Amino acid sequence: MNKELYQPLIFELSHDGRRGYSLPEYQYEDCGYEIPPQLRRSEKLSLPQVDEPTVVRHYTNSSNNNFGVDTGFYPLGSCTMKYNPKANEAMVARAGVADLHPYQPASTVQGALRIYRTLEKALSEIGGMAEFTLNPFAGAHGEYTGLMVIRQYHLSRADEARTRVIVPDSAHGTNPASAHMAGFEIVEVKSLPDGTVDVEDLRSKLDETVAAVMMTNPNTVGMFEKNIPEIAEAVHAAGALLYYDGANLNPMLGVARPGDMGFDVMHINLHKTFSTPHGGGGPGAGPVGVRAGLEKFLPNPRVVENADGSLGVEFGEDSFGQVSAWLGNFTVLIKALSYILTLGAEGIAKVGPLATLNANYIMNSLNDLYLQPIAGPCKHEFVFDGLKDKSTGVTTLEIAKSLLDYGFHAPTIYFPLLFHESIMIEPTETETPETLDAFIATMRKIAEEAISEPDKIKNAPYSTPISHPDEDEAALNPVITYADLCK
Ligand SMILES: *Cc1c(COP(=O)(O)O)cnc(C)c1O
């Protein structure tokens, strides 16, 4: 631990008798109300005793230790850490939105339901799908929802033998996890050396026990799967459905639509492509779209248009059930709609090409020093397999840690698993050429120092409170509470 940069916990700043507040006297003695004995605390609550400036400084300094899209470049592959316009937050903070209750009668929340319906329609247009639900809370939750729709579709046709889901070996870990949660057995399909799905291997695994094939396009190494029409034909001929993991939709915006490629069901990560802040666990949203014919299987409740033009909330009989308490993470939905309407059709169409341009610019500016295992061009992201010069002994982990000293968030490392030293970079469309150039210059400096001064890189970072935790120990025996630390 770097002692000079260590920030004490608020409990360590405590001094008996210090106060940062004054509470009003208890005023309810005369009302005849008493806290029931079983709800009363038996011991004094152990709270830190600190003055107000100490509290304010403590939390302000802690927040400065955080890193986010608002503080610096965040090229975390697979995560689409684009800038989140603040105007979207202003939309959510409006009283007409922030003060609603989910169980209000539909007649009193027509505006909110209209927002929901408008976003459903916008996403259907963007995805080339017939209908969307906005209820799921995350990408993985959307995958689960989409697979349950597929399950319900097969069951509705009394096709009960379809118990397996095919997932590429390059897929995001949530794909097999969601398929398992939805009650399916997972079959893995191999990737070719260029990172795309091996169509022959896929064909050999398609039969009457397969419910669905999950694909990501561009895939998790940032390559466009060119064989989707052929794959869609084979999957449909086998009676299965084709699922689109839309977490990588960003480079497709304005360029191609999953529905047009032959996908039957898809999800979108609003917290990636549609500019809701993410990281730290949410909140997010993973709307699910379906092609015509599958609408009735979508989860309940649904927002429906009544004959008189008003909107209502309904529970359909053919739905597989409910995945959320009500109509999803509503504030996230508002931010996504605000973002879509701000960009408009013209702006949306620029997102994909710009994200792709930025990724290719970085890749081609670094591939003389870093090993590019798959020939370009890439889409929104790309993978290096560590340094080109393998004699330095400097690993991807060390490169990632070194970047922290220069004010950059580390890229995704050791994913995908196709390469030993994966370093996966996704710049997104919201970065300026100056930011990209600064990142490139730093990556080049690190690669050069890996040769001239490898120990300097191996011991980085120097500017963070914690530099080199024991990785095994941290994974096996994580210290996650103050009590653990004192043990
Ligand atoms: C992020 C991601 C997911 C999972 O999304 P969450 O919202 O984190 O659950 C699934 N697939 C891919 C390709 C992703 O990048």
Side-chain angles (χ1 to χ4, degrees):
M1 192 175 307
N2 190 336
K3 285 258 156 57
E4 276 159 43
L5 295 170
Y6 176 72
Q7 257 178 15
L9 298 175
I10 191 91
F11 289 94
E12 292 168 323
L13 299 171
S14 179
H15 286 273
D16 283 350
R18 292 262 169 89
R19 286 280 178 276
Y21 66 89
S22 60
L23 291 179
E25 292 289 316
Y26 183 64
Q27 305 163 19
Y28 302 104
E29 247 131 40
D30 301 335
C31 322
Y33 178 78
E34 283 208 32
I35 297 171
Q38 74 272 22
L39 296 181
R40 276 188 219 148
R41 180 173 293 286
S42 54
E43 285 164 35
K44 249 181 119 181
L45 186 60
S46 160
L47 289 176
Q49 304 190 38
V50 270
D51 55 288
E52 182 170 327
T54 300
V55 174
V56 169
R57 285 174 195 154
H58 174 75
Y59 286 108
T60 305
N61 289 328
S62 297
S63 77
N64 287 342
N65 263 347
N66 214 342
F67 192 95
V69 177
D70 288 354
T71 48
F73 185 43
Y74 208 132
L76 194 67
S78 192
C79 291
T80 312
M81 304 299 287
K82 63 169 76 175
Y83 176 71
N84 313 120
K86 302 304 164 238
N88 302 341
E89 301 294 337
M91 296 298 153
V92 175
R94 294 164 75 108
V97 168
D99 296 345
L100 298 181
H101 190 282
Y103 291 141
Q104 264 176 258
S107 64
T108 68
V109 287
Q110 286 295 302
L113 297 178
R114 184 61 64 193
I115 289 173
Y116 188 100
R117 193 72 196 121
T118 306
L119 181 60
E120 275 187 336
K121 285 185 175 163
L123 296 181
S124 299
E125 178 64 29
I126 287 167
M129 292 282 154
E131 195 59 82
F132 257 87
T133 174
L134 311 180
N135 296 4
F137 293 131
H141 198 198
E143 292 167 24
Y144 169 78
T145 302
L147 289 164
M148 291 300 282
V149 166
I150 291 172
R151 194 162 169 268
Q152 193 72 357
Y153 160 77
H154 290 306
L155 291 179
S156 76
R157 303 167 75 241
D159 194 353
E160 282 159 18
R162 296 189 182 272
T163 55
R164 308 197 304 159
V165 167
I166 297 182
V167 179
D169 60 4
S170 67
H172 195 272
T174 51
N175 287 193
S178 308
H180 181 76
M181 288 292 288
F184 292 106
E185 209 181 299
I186 290 97
V187 181
E188 204 173 83
V189 60
K190 282 194 294 230
S191 297
L192 296 169
D194 73 353
T196 61
V197 160
D198 183 337
V199 182
E200 285 323 304
D201 189 40
L202 176 62
R203 277 185 196 283
S204 74
K205 286 170 176 157
L206 283 170
D207 60 24
E208 67 292 341
T209 67
V210 175
V213 176
M214 298 181 85
M215 296 276 300
T216 309
N217 198 22
N219 62 25
T220 56
V221 290
M223 300 308 288
F224 189 78
E225 299 273 359
K226 295 193 185 72
N227 297 319
I228 294 291
E230 188 190 339
I231 291 171
E233 216 183 299
V235 169
H236 292 147
L241 297 184
L242 191 57
Y243 184 90
Y244 181 82
D245 176 340
N248 290 355
L249 189 70
N250 209 44
M252 298 286 100
L253 283 189
V255 182
R257 307 195 307 169
D260 299 337
M261 297 179 208
F263 285 96
D264 304 295
V265 181
M266 69 179 289
H267 84 263
I268 297 176
N269 295 47
L270 293 188
H271 46 291
K272 289 179 182 171
T273 313
F274 293 100
S275 182
T276 269
H278 67 293
V288 169
V290 293
R291 68 157 166 76
L294 296 172
E295 302 95 325
K296 62 181 177 181
F297 304 122
L298 285 169
N300 283 326
R302 304 269 309 133
V303 174
V304 292
E305 296 187 33
N306 299 321
D308 65 357
S310 66
L311 295 169
V313 180
E314 260 185 29
F315 286 72
E317 277 182 11
D318 297 304
S319 162
F320 72 85
Q322 235 172 306
V323 293
S324 53
W326 200 243
L327 289 167
N329 270 337
F330 191 57
T331 56
V332 174
L333 307 180
I334 292 168
K335 287 181 223 182
L337 183 62
S338 167
Y339 176 72
I340 290 171
L341 294 178
T342 307
L343 289 186
E346 204 182 305
I348 291 275
K350 287 185 187 158
V351 170
L354 273 177
T356 302
L357 178 66
N358 283 356
N360 279 282
Y361 178 65
I362 296 180
M363 184 175 78
N364 287 305
S365 305
L366 292 175
N367 58 9
D368 56 329
L369 295 174
Y370 291 86
L371 184 61
Q372 183 189 326
I374 298 172
C378 62
K379 285 287 174 281
H380 61 307
E381 63 192 356
F382 61 91
V383 184
F384 284 141
D385 189 3
L387 285 167
K388 209 169 192 176
D389 182 349
K390 295 292 178 206
S391 71
T392 65
V394 170
T395 65
T396 279
L397 176 68
E398 289 155 0
I399 295 164
K401 279 183 179 279
S402 193
L403 273 171
L404 307 182
D405 282 333
Y406 296 92
F408 294 112
H409 195 281
T412 295
I413 58 172
Y414 301 108
F415 178 83
L417 306 176
L418 300 176
F419 312 106
H420 283 300
E421 291 291 324
S422 286
I423 184 162
M424 188 184 199
I425 296 170
E426 177 181 7
T428 84
E429 71 282 5
T430 60
E431 298 303 325
T432 62
E434 290 77 20
T435 300
L436 302 184
D437 283 339
F439 177 72
I440 289 163
T442 303
M443 286 289 283
R444 295 192 71 82
K445 185 169 180 230
I446 291 171
E448 280 151 14
E449 286 180 351
I451 299 167
S452 60
E453 293 175 82
D455 282 344
K456 179 179 168 197
I457 305 298
K458 282 177 177 294
N459 293 323
Y462 301 94
S463 63
T464 56
I466 294 173
S467 175
H468 279 83
D470 179 332
E471 303 271 328
D472 296 334
E473 184 62 17
L476 293 171
N477 301 307
V479 175
I480 46 179
T481 67
Y482 191 56
D484 285 342
L485 188 68
C486 298
K487 264 187 209 156

